[in-house]
Amino acid sequence: MSFLSHLECAACGKKLEADLIRNLCPECGKPLLARYNLDEAADRTDREKIAVRKPDMWRYRELLPVRDRRFVLSLGEGFTPLLPAKRLGDSIGIKNLLIKEEGLNPTGSFKARGMSAAISRAFELGVKELSIPSAGNAAAAACAYAALAGMRSHVYMPADAPKSFATECKALGANVELVDGLIGDCGRIAAEGVKKFARFDMSTLKEPYRIEGKKTMGYELAEQMDWRLPDVIIYPTGGGTGLIGMWKAFDEMERLGWIEGERPRMVSVQSDGCAPIVKAFHNGDEFAETWPDAKTIADGIRVPAAIGDFLMLEALRESAGTAVAVSDGEIVDAMRAISRTEGIIACPEGASTFAALKRLNKNGWIRKDEITVLFNTGTGAKYTHLLE
Ligand SMILES: *Cc1c(COP(=O)(O)O)cnc(C)c1O
């Protein structure tokens, strides 16, 4: 069912056989990306065939990494609605605003896509035990799919993450360790267990397949817009797999002959309390410097150092996009604006995209009639304390 052909290092280009358990590039330590035989896929699949399949992300299974269908772990992830956000757009004079509502995914965030792909593939390759450092949503999603596979999961979470996340992971059968520090500190402690007990490391971009699940956001966007793409995509970026994944999807779909024409301008949104990508983008740097004392209420984008920084910066530049930092105050205002006009309780990360849109509207970067998609990456139901 999959046209997966090999893995390729995103930095040095080394090619590796795909049917072995792998993390980073053995040569240079950078992320590995999955590559497919797209010529064959173009011959043997088409958009019409996909259109009649079940509405979840596995409808794109030829371009996902699992070879044998029996290993697919699915909770109905993906094929989330693309909603017209008319009242929200009208409030600032933007005419063609849409929201991709990822809060409807299993465990309440788009992280379900990445974990469904990566844990299914790990399951297929025989992994029994996994480890994940996470601020919340990635852990919840990992634990859910691990439960479905009967795998053991170990979660390392910053102690100041919302308590509901730790409870959720425990309920899903995980072993949860709260770490006094940031996501990077969680990563360091998780790495000790990975080494000592040979657990599989599910950290962002430290295995090749979470990004494969996340790229389905790009496939869906095209399918839901009748195989055209919007003018602008505004996306909250932490580790960056959503942005990098969608950019990869556009590349693949062009080669499959499924889309043509201009690609969207990609906008990365971060909080001004942790904005390494925004800073690097505007400095013209290839890599981002670690952000000191990272602080923001938007846990999913509190990532002071991202291993895929160069890939995010590349996508932003190739797309003629930009990067915007907004304040926590603007994020909470945006949460209120979205809920009151569109009936969606957005997560702070997702709401940050509307805060960024307001800025880009004001400074003229975006035209009023451009088709613009905001990604609400998760449900705000886990964050109602911010609205009290
Ligand atoms: C993880 C997360 C993000 C950041 O996504 P990346 O694709 O890793 O940059 C944004 N929003 C939410 C709700 C998240 O959980």
Side-chain angles (χ1 to χ4, degrees), residues 109-111 137-138 204 214 235-243 300-301 347 349-350 377-378:
S109 86
F110 82 109
K111 293 285 197 306
N137 279 322
T204 301
K214 289 178 174 185
Y235 193 88
T237 34
T241 46
L243 197 80
I301 54 175
C347 62
E349 299 87 344
T377 41

Side-chain angles (χ1 to χ4, degrees), residues 138-156:
C143 297
Y145 292 96
L148 198 53
M151 285 183 202
R152 284 184 62 76
S153 49
H154 301 268
V155 169
Y156 298 83

